[in-house]
Amino acid sequence: MAGNNGLLVALETLRRQLDHDLFPLAIGDVASHRRALTELRGQLDDYLLPRVAAMDAPLLAVVGGSTGAGKSTLVNSLASADVTEPGVLRPTTLAPTLVANPADEAWFTRQKVLPGLARTTGGGRGEPGTLRIVTAATVPPGLALLDAPDIDSVVTANREIAAQLLAAADLWLFVTTAARYADEVPWGFLRSARERSTALAVVLDRVPPEALQPVRAHLNRLLEENGLAGTPLFSVPEVVLSEENGRLPEAAVRAVHDWLAAIAADAHARAEVVRRTLSGALESITLRVPALADEAERQRAGLADLRLSVESAYGTAMATFDDGIRDGSLLRGEVLARWQDFIGTGDFMRTLESRIGWLRERLVSAFTGRPAPDAQLRVALETGVEALIRSAADAAAERALEAWSGMPAGRDVIERAGAVSAGRLGRASATLPERAAAAVRAWQGYVLELVAKEGAERRTTARLASFSVNGAGLLLMLMVFASTGGLTGIEVGIAGGTSVLSQKLLEAVFGDQAVRTLTQAAREDLQDRVRAVLDEEAARFTSLLEGVGPPEDMSENLRQAARAVQKHRGQIDVPPADAPVDAVVDAPVDAALDTP
């Protein structure tokens, strides 16, 4: 084992990487990718890890095949004991049965091989999802036979466990019949065995004497056409059993029995079979893992697309809000009415230059004598900005949900979130009005602090006092919405006059450069606060993606693990690729029995 330590570590490292959910989203042919991942995990757990850890462990020969091929009868006949229960009902084999020599029982009961299957012993068929272990002294030491469920069973779980067992086999003894040897489903499994270089022998069961030669010739041709030329082929003639669950005559299975016994009796022969299958499995690892890494990258790209669509939707919402505070639309309606109340006139454009002093006096009077108008103006501004935030957030939620609904991965996430959550995603959250109001009030507080601080720093306290901090703060808030784009008719004049008057009055206190600086700071602070609110809204979508998909470095880690396995493959001494399994032992490749 010392020589295999590097390989074992590489396989263990790879297995840990595969614990992640690599394919959570419906991207590409995700069903086949998930299936491939499950199969790879299973092969590592069920075969590669235990086999590399114990190269001299007993040989596991899995007897598999189609429904009604006679697998259980063959196993009983090879073991010369009733270890499994054949019958006429389908599916017959509900739980796999493993028969081993008593000397090898401990290896299989310790759950080294097929660790995911609970062990049972004793009589009966065993429960689905368990591995029933039976011992028989007639089975030679160093070899175990495993009766697998049908590969074409009508029960999905049976088909899945059959595939799992075949992937865990050192040697696959495939059983078919003269009537069903050309069926497509078995050939899919045979080609898989070829691709993984699994040691393989075929048993042609229930062959009528008159059909033996043509059927064998045709089957040999099919093996050759499917890249399996040289596969040992055994024939079992059609016989009448003395009872329903009877065993085949010893002579009928002698060729198969002797071939297996010869391998079991020769440690070198067993090792060669193991190394052949192990090498093929390792080779398939180095091919399959990079392919899974590529698909994992597609998953990450799909997740990135989902996040990008949310960023785009809420980025557009932020742009809409920016346009809304710049195009002058906030300076109409209620805000205009409250502004006129605040100033005391709506006809200030004609007399702006000549009557700044008079307007200043009216402004002072408004604050000292009538406090209500400034409060109403502030509330009107607050309400207008809040409405703009809510409108932008609603539109963004609708766009984001629509974008996700147009992508398979997005639909997958939405479906997993549930119908109620999906319905809520399409509009702004219930808490948005409260958070938007808080953000606007906090911004107004910031503007007042900004004005107060600027007044103190520039020694303009006396001039500022003539307006009050509140009054100057309101003027600065109006300056944030200084553009008149989007307004028409008299509104342009009124809104424009509002911003110009605000600017003139503020410049009289702070100076023109300071006003520009204050306006920019106030606008940027408002944008930052609104952006934070919209980010919270976007998080309703992106939070559904947290923890979904493989880690960022997963694909590269998988490729590195595959390269490590490839690097240490040389630790396994493998016979030449063109040497058939029967060349390992002195047994015929094409053994036929014509007599029962």
Side-chain angles (χ1 to χ4, degrees):
M1 248 308 297
N4 289 334
N5 282 342
L7 177 59
L8 184 59
V9 169
L11 290 172
E12 289 171 341
T13 300
L14 172 61
R15 182 60 186 87
R16 286 193 295 272
Q17 300 294 336
L18 297 176
D19 278 334
H20 295 277
D21 185 3
L22 300 183
F23 310 115
L25 301 178
I27 297 174
D29 189 2
V30 69
S32 68
H33 303 150
R34 290 169 179 165
R35 186 166 55 251
L37 177 60
T38 300
E39 291 173 356
L40 186 55
R41 288 171 178 161
Q43 191 172 32
L44 282 161
D45 292 339
D46 298 340
Y47 179 65
L48 285 168
L49 289 170
R51 176 51 73 190
V52 172
M55 291 292 291
D56 57 349
L59 189 75
L60 179 61
V62 174
V63 182
S66 302
T67 300
K71 300 182 296 297
S72 298
T73 300
L74 179 63
V75 170
N76 286 341
S77 301
L78 291 172
S80 299
D82 296 331
V83 293
T84 184
E85 294 188 26
V88 295
L89 297 178
R90 302 292 178 244
T92 301
T93 305
L94 300 177
T97 297
L98 185 148
V99 54
N101 187 277
D104 297 327
E105 181 182 13
W107 167 252
F108 295 104
T109 55
R110 284 198 307 249
Q111 292 191 267
K112 295 292 185 180
V113 179
L114 298 163
L117 296 179
R119 268 51 172 172
T120 62
T121 57
R125 292 185 175 186
E127 296 297 323
T130 65
L131 177 63
R132 178 170 167 262
I133 297 177
V134 180
T135 58
T138 50
V139 175
L143 172 71
L145 297 174
L146 199 162
D147 181 19
D150 304 330
I151 60 175
D152 55 357
S153 172
V154 295
V155 180
T156 301
N158 281 357
R159 297 196 304 272
E160 291 174 349
I161 192 65
Q164 179 185 359
L165 297 177
L166 292 173
D170 293 305
L171 170 64
W172 184 16
L173 201 61
F174 177 71
V175 183
T176 187
T177 65
R180 303 197 58 185
Y181 69 90
D183 290 355
E184 177 54 31
V185 172
W187 284 101
F189 278 85
L190 289 169
R191 285 189 288 270
S192 177
R194 177 202 65 202
E195 292 165 1
R196 300 182 187 183
S197 298
T198 302
L200 171 69
V202 176
V203 177
L204 183 60
D205 195 13
R206 298 175 182 170
V207 186
E210 67 277 9
L212 178 62
Q213 293 306 322
V215 170
R216 287 176 59 82
H218 188 214
L219 180 52
N220 269 318
R221 275 201 311 275
L222 291 176
L223 288 168
E224 183 175 356
E225 290 170 2
N226 284 274
L228 293 165
T231 297
L233 175 59
F234 301 93
S235 298
V236 175
E238 187 175 40
V239 296
V240 177
L241 300 180
S242 58
E243 55 186 89
E244 180 182 334
N245 294 339
R247 289 178 241 150
L248 295 166
E250 181 181 343
V253 295
R254 182 178 296 123
V256 182
H257 179 277
D258 291 350
W259 184 74
L260 292 172
I263 295 176
D266 187 336
H268 175 71
R270 291 201 311 273
E272 292 301 300
V273 171
V274 168
R275 290 187 179 94
R276 170 68 57 76
T277 300
L278 182 58
S279 177
L282 293 173
E283 175 65 23
S284 75
I285 288 283
T286 62
L287 297 176
R288 287 187 287 164
V289 171
L292 291 179
D294 291 343
E295 295 304 328
E297 282 186 346
R298 289 187 64 189
Q299 287 280 319
R300 287 198 58 81
L303 285 167
D305 288 342
L306 292 178
R307 288 192 176 91
L308 184 61
S309 65
V310 174
E311 291 174 6
S312 175
Y314 283 90
T316 300
M318 191 65 216
T320 300
F321 177 81
D322 284 342
D323 291 341
I325 65 174
R326 292 174 185 273
D327 65 8
S329 59
L330 283 173
L331 300 181
R332 68 174 81 187
E334 185 68 14
V335 173
L336 281 173
R338 299 290 74 79
W339 167 251
Q340 291 175 14
D341 291 342
F342 181 53
I343 294 299
T345 180
D347 189 26
F348 46 78
M349 285 298 289
R350 294 192 306 271
T351 58
L352 180 61
E353 296 295 336
S354 62
R355 301 181 62 189
I356 288 293
W358 177 83
L359 288 169
R360 184 188 299 117
E361 291 174 0
R362 293 296 302 273
L363 180 62
V364 173
S365 175
F367 276 106
T368 57
R370 293 183 296 142
D374 73 304
Q376 292 174 352
L377 175 58
R378 183 170 175 174
V379 169
L381 278 172
E382 180 180 331
T383 302
V385 177
E386 290 173 20
L388 186 57
I389 295 172
R390 291 197 299 271
S391 175
D394 276 329
E398 186 177 349
R399 280 192 298 268
L401 184 60
E402 183 179 356
W404 276 24
S405 299
M407 295 184 280
R411 290 195 296 271
D412 197 357
V413 174
I414 292 170
E415 288 174 6
R416 285 192 285 178
V420 174
S421 295
R424 292 172 179 167
L425 283 175
R427 57 184 182 274
S429 66
T431 62
L432 175 70
E434 179 182 346
R435 289 184 290 111
V440 176
R441 287 193 297 269
W443 171 69
Q444 290 177 329
Y446 167 80
V447 171
L448 296 180
E449 291 177 4
L450 196 65
V451 168
K453 181 179 179 181
E454 181 69 18
E457 290 179 352
R458 292 182 173 273
R459 302 183 183 277
T460 57
T461 306
R463 282 178 288 170
L464 182 59
S466 66
F467 293 98
S468 85
V469 171
N470 281 347
L474 278 171
L475 295 177
L476 183 56
M477 292 176 202
L478 290 169
M479 286 293 298
V480 171
F481 317 114
S483 173
T484 59
L487 300 184
T488 59
I490 192 171
E491 284 186 324
V492 174
I494 296 174
T498 301
S499 60
V500 171
L501 177 57
S502 300
Q503 181 177 348
K504 291 295 184 180
L505 291 174
L506 286 174
E507 287 176 355
V509 178
F510 300 113
D512 58 349
Q513 180 58 44
V515 169
R516 285 192 292 271
T517 301
L518 290 171
T519 302
Q520 182 65 22
R523 180 179 289 125
E524 289 178 355
D525 184 79
L526 177 59
Q527 290 170 329
D528 289 343
R529 294 179 190 276
V530 173
R531 188 175 292 109
V533 171
L534 292 178
D535 285 346
E536 291 181 44
E537 289 293 293
R540 297 183 305 136
F541 288 88
T542 56
S543 64
L544 298 176
L545 306 179
E546 293 300 324
V548 176
E552 183 177 357
D553 56 355
M554 176 54 62
S555 293
E556 181 55 31
N557 289 343
L558 286 172
R559 294 188 182 99
Q560 289 180 1
R563 288 193 291 268
V565 172
Q566 176 68 25
K567 174 182 176 182
H568 293 287
R569 272 187 60 209
Q571 294 174 353
I572 303 299
D573 183 18
V574 186
D578 59 349
V581 173
D582 62 283
V584 175
V585 295
D586 185 16
V589 176
D590 194 19
L593 287 171
D594 298 312
T595 57

